[in-house]
Amino acid sequence: MKTLRSILIFSFLAFGLFLSDVSVFSASATTGYLRIIAEDAPFYSDSGGNELLFYLPYTYYVKALDKGTYFTHVEISPLSGAAIDGYVPTEKLFDDGLTVTSPYPNLEITTVNATAFYRTKNPSEVLQYVFPNRNLTYYGKYESETGNALFFVGYNNRLGYVKEEDVMPFTIDNHPNPLTFLPPDPEPVDSAPKEEVSTTENVNVYRIIIIASLAFAGIIALFIAFRKKPQPHAAVSYYDENDYE
């Protein structure tokens, strides 16, 4: 009896541990690539969203390592640079279920003059100086409250910031995958031509009715005119005084 009780207790404990493992696995399982669906999707270095590094490129993808309720732990890896991990608000990401190739922009930006390479987005501590015509791996953009823009880049196995004014102008096109996270554009309703056609048809109908009425009235008038016979003239007697002579 004691042996049976021990077996049952062990079975319940084992089943509980199995369920616990399943729930933990589901919470921490990787979810593949998630799409960046906001132009202001921030990339933080900490899980609490306190240390903003830069803003991610709109319509591209990040690799989800651990999807949470508020923040998702992600990894980004440009082809020309080192992979880095950080945290992104979950609401700024979307699982579109599409096949993803080249998830992150493979973009190198070029310096136009000798520029400082800063350690942080507060351009005070200089890591090194970079000569003109040097290629930097692009990760994202940061814009301060005063409107000064910096780019978070990789150079010479280091990560840091350069000022926008010190690199050649460039653009980033949307990722080639369809933008399935956007609602489809409503089909245009071309009602004006239909109203014109309807109005024209009504005018034509009124014209036909008026012409037909006038024609019918004319026919009736002709019919009445031909049916009316002239009245015979009444005999007129003349008095002749010779008749009594």
Side-chain angles (χ1 to χ4, degrees):
M1 189 66 178
K2 291 183 179 180
T3 303
L4 179 59
R5 184 180 299 173
S6 299
I7 293 174
L8 290 175
I9 293 173
F10 177 78
S11 299
F12 281 119
L13 291 175
F15 184 70
L17 290 174
F18 172 76
L19 290 178
S20 176
D21 290 341
V22 169
S23 61
V24 170
F25 177 78
S26 299
S28 61
T30 57
T31 56
Y33 288 103
L34 298 177
R35 196 159 201 181
I36 304 161
I37 60 173
E39 296 183 5
D40 60 344
F43 183 86
Y44 298 101
S45 61
D46 64 301
S47 59
N50 297 311
E51 187 58 40
L52 172 63
L53 295 182
F54 55 85
Y55 291 95
L56 296 163
Y58 178 59
T59 74
Y60 282 81
Y61 294 84
V62 294
K63 183 179 181 181
L65 304 178
D66 187 359
K67 186 176 181 180
T69 303
Y70 301 106
F71 289 93
T72 295
H73 189 198
V74 303
E75 178 185 274
I76 55 178
S77 53
L79 293 179
S80 59
I84 62 174
D85 69 296
Y87 296 84
V88 181
T90 302
E91 64 179 2
K92 305 287 186 180
L93 303 173
F94 176 73
D95 185 3
D96 59 12
L98 301 176
T99 300
V100 180
T101 57
S102 301
Y104 210 73
N106 184 28
L107 176 63
E108 290 186 339
I109 58 179
T110 306
T111 56
V112 294
N113 47 45
T115 179
F117 187 43
Y118 300 102
R119 180 183 297 276
T120 67
K121 57 181 180 289
N122 181 18
S124 57
E125 184 179 353
V126 179
L127 285 173
Q128 68 178 90
Y129 286 92
V130 182
F131 290 115
N133 298 316
R134 298 296 190 267
N135 293 332
L136 315 172
T137 300
Y138 178 87
Y139 285 88
K141 181 179 180 179
Y142 172 80
E143 189 167 340
S144 66
E145 296 179 355
T146 59
N148 296 323
L150 299 168
F151 297 123
F152 187 84
V153 298
Y155 179 71
N156 197 21
N157 295 323
R158 292 180 173 180
L159 296 173
Y161 297 86
V162 292
K163 294 181 179 181
E164 182 180 29
E165 61 198 48
D166 292 329
V167 300
M168 294 183 181
F170 64 94
T171 59
I172 303 177
D173 296 328
N174 287 343
H175 192 278
N177 277 359
L179 305 180
T180 57
F181 58 90
L182 295 177
D185 295 331
E187 296 182 0
V189 179
D190 194 7
S191 58
K194 293 182 180 180
E195 290 182 2
E196 291 178 1
V197 171
S198 176
T199 303
T200 303
E201 290 179 354
N202 291 337
V203 171
N204 291 334
V205 170
Y206 293 146
R207 287 178 179 175
I208 293 172
I209 293 174
I210 293 171
I211 293 171
S213 300
L214 293 174
F216 184 70
I219 293 172
I220 293 175
L222 290 174
F223 178 76
I224 293 174
F226 282 108
R227 286 291 302 270
K228 187 176 181 181
K229 294 181 179 180
Q231 297 294 329
H233 295 288
V236 180
S237 58
Y238 296 93
Y239 172 75
D240 190 354
E241 53 184 28
N242 291 329
D243 292 341
Y244 295 98
E245 292 182 356

